[in-house]
Amino acid sequence: MNVPKIPLGDWIDVLVKWVTVAFAGFFTFLTTVIESLLNIIVDVLSAGPSIILIIVLTLLVAYTSRWPLGIFTLISLLLVDNLGYWDSSIQTIAIVLLSGLLTIIIGIPVGIWCAQRKTVHRIVTPILDFMQTMPAFVYLIPSILFFGIGVVPGIIASFIFAIAPTIRMTNLGIKEVPKDLIEAADAFGSSNSQKLFKVQLPIATPTIMAGVNQSIMLALSMVVTASLVGAPGLGADVYRAVSQIDVGRGFEAGLSIVFIAVILDRISQNLRKPAYENIVNKKIVFSIVALLIIVTAVVTGITKETAKDKDGNRIGAQVDYQIIGIEPGAGIMSQTNKAIKDYQLKNWQLQEGSSAAMAAELDKAYQNKKPIIVTGWAPHWMFSTYDLKFLKDPKESYGAVEDIHTIVRKGLEQDAPGAYTILNQFTWKPADMEKVMLDIKEGTDPAEAAENWIKANGEKVGQWTNGAQAGKGESVNLVYVAWDTEIASTNVIGKVLEQNGYKVKLSQVEVGPMFAGVANGSVDGMVAAWLPSTHKEFYQQYKNDIVDLGPNLHGTKNGLVVPEYMDINSIEDLK
Ligand code: PBE
């Protein structure tokens, strides 16, 4: 039977596009609110030297959960500070606290409503099931479109992922209040709200708090995912370590997450019945903490305002001193950090994320003629889609024009001589690559775009396959990173190998694993090594364990890219 595919994905695309435009004002408002709240939390947490917060947290944990745990907190936080993850930890704690706060503000009322109305409960339950089982990654996609990249889409995605337990447990807690108590309350003629606040909620509190505790833990489990769209903190450290295969740093950052999890878990679990409640009254302790927070918030707020007045840099202020970056492991990211140092761009920050998120952000800014600075490279479809320019780089932080090399594993020449020959003879021009990229950008499936290009360029492809033995179905596994350039090249060469009798598998990975995979022979090769400068470090590290087949393309360029309508021309103008 030939039933056409239901265009579910297309419908969602259209819906999301419509929502993006229709609610643009609302999203901007929400972004501003969430960002300001987060800034306040971060400012308060990082107001004094780290030791002050460490002591406050130690005392708080000791008070709620006994002194051994207090000692654990002290030692673990000192260790986190010593290892150099303090600032990241503050970011992470702030993100988790804010997501937690949002789940409480929204989750508890919804939970109460569910407990009171059967219909609401019936509608909300399947929605919660859906929210919890849909892979959290999926929320990131519309979140980027609605809220741009940065911390806000991360917080929203964490919030959606984490809110369910608070709603469910609030509902459960209230429903579990013994019937006779309700009857008694009714008998005394109490109103609904009296019943709720004087009977149901107090009795349900332990259950509700258990839900809140779970929500906080779920939010914490989202930090690495959130870093994919640019949320800073320990999650970003872990993600960076993965993409550079830095086991040591990954472990350190992971350990810091574990410590913070334990601390947040114990505080939120025992908040209601602190261990030393009989020694110091709970109300006194919490009032002191609240006062401390308010005073710090006000003081830091005032100092920040005065600092802002002195801001003379127009461009910097316009783009919030942010450069929109891509995957943390990419060479262009270290080059940009170098540029920030070379040109002494104090205050400027390089936002980590992904190539796709960067492109989405650029598109959004461009449509609205807003200023934006991104890390960009050529060849790239964005130069034919938008009017863009590279900022001049007189200090050459981004190196000169480069080549892209093909690199294969040792032993491929013996195991699959035909594939080796084709990979060795593969070379094309930036214009070729750009054509494939543009086709993909316009919605063609990458494999199909590759096929289209191959069909139109038989002569060129003939030179690559010239003299190559046909394969007998041997498998060839190519790795690549999801940069637009490499999606194009890898699909093209993959198709050519396939057409010559090989069973080709393309695996998308991060930069570090791409090099490591070829070096340890677990994959056969890649066509994505930007040399001599962009991937210098990876090349140096693995050069003895790989076979470098030389350039497959000449004439690439990395740098900072801005829309033509922006009134700057050189990286020096950012100062
Ligand atoms: N790029 C595209 C990569 C290499 C290919 C410039 C984003 C990088 O910076 O590592």
Side-chain angles (χ1 to χ4, degrees), residues 176-397:
E176 271 179 346
V177 174
K179 285 247 162 40
D180 37 354
L181 285 180
I182 303 289
E183 275 160 20
D186 284 337
F188 284 112
S190 40
S191 70
N192 270 344
S193 66
Q194 276 172 334
K195 217 165 39 188
L196 180 67
F197 287 106
K198 299 244 157 78
V199 182
Q200 290 170 312
L201 280 182
I203 294 179
T205 311
T207 318
I208 297 178
M209 284 306 288
V212 170
N213 169 269
Q214 290 213 353
S215 288
I216 292 180
M217 291 296 112
L218 283 180
L220 187 62
S221 74
M222 276 288 287
V223 293
V224 177
T225 312
S227 73
L228 297 186
V229 289
L234 292 169
D237 292 331
V238 171
Y239 178 32
R240 206 174 308 131
V242 171
S243 62
Q244 297 170 347
I245 345 190
D246 193 332
V247 188
R249 290 232 317 258
F251 181 77
E252 288 173 354
L255 193 67
S256 307
I257 294 183
V258 172
F259 290 149
I260 287 174
V262 174
I263 294 168
L264 289 179
D265 179 57
R266 291 310 128 90
I267 295 182
S268 60
Q269 232 177 61
N270 300 326
L271 210 52
R272 207 179 51 84
K273 266 195 177 310
Y276 299 137
E277 196 176 0
N278 45 0
I279 305 176
V280 195
N281 189 307
K282 172 159 102 169
K283 286 207 180 103
I284 298 180
V285 174
F286 294 157
S287 313
I288 294 176
V289 174
L291 195 71
L292 216 62
I293 294 174
I294 294 171
V295 171
T296 335
V298 171
V299 173
T300 50
I302 294 170
T303 29
K304 237 183 148 181
E305 272 312 305
T306 31
K308 237 190 212 153
D309 292 341
K310 296 197 201 105
D311 196 342
N313 185 326
R314 239 169 12 102
I315 297 289
Q318 280 171 17
V319 297
D320 231 357
Y321 291 95
Q322 285 208 346
I323 297 169
I324 309 294
I326 56 167
E327 290 81 0
I332 202 172
M333 295 297 276
S334 9
Q335 290 172 333
T336 306
N337 279 320
K338 183 164 175 292
I340 290 178
K341 277 205 203 89
D342 291 350
Y343 292 89
Q344 296 174 346
L345 305 178
K346 282 178 238 108
N347 304 326
W348 282 83
Q349 269 188 352
L350 175 59
Q351 175 88 58
E352 294 176 340
S354 69
S355 304
M358 179 274 286
E361 196 75 349
L362 177 65
D363 184 71
K364 208 162 102 181
Y366 196 88
Q367 304 305 343
N368 300 310
K369 285 258 170 307
K370 289 251 170 63
I372 184 168
I373 305 177
V374 303
T375 56
W377 63 97
H380 198 286
W381 56 262
M382 63 186 183
F383 293 100
S384 27
T385 310
Y386 315 114
D387 252 331
L388 303 173
K389 60 186 171 193
F390 272 108
L391 292 182
K392 295 216 172 61
D393 175 20
K395 293 197 193 320
E396 296 200 336
S397 308

Side-chain angles (χ1 to χ4, degrees), residues 449-480:
E451 242 167 292
N452 294 344
W453 186 88
I454 292 171
K455 253 184 230 145
N457 292 273
E459 203 181 315
K460 221 167 245 179
V461 176
Q463 286 166 6
W464 307 345
T465 54
N466 187 16
Q469 261 175 48
K472 300 179 210 70
E474 297 101 316
S475 63
V476 174
N477 193 348
L478 299 179
V479 267
Y480 69 102

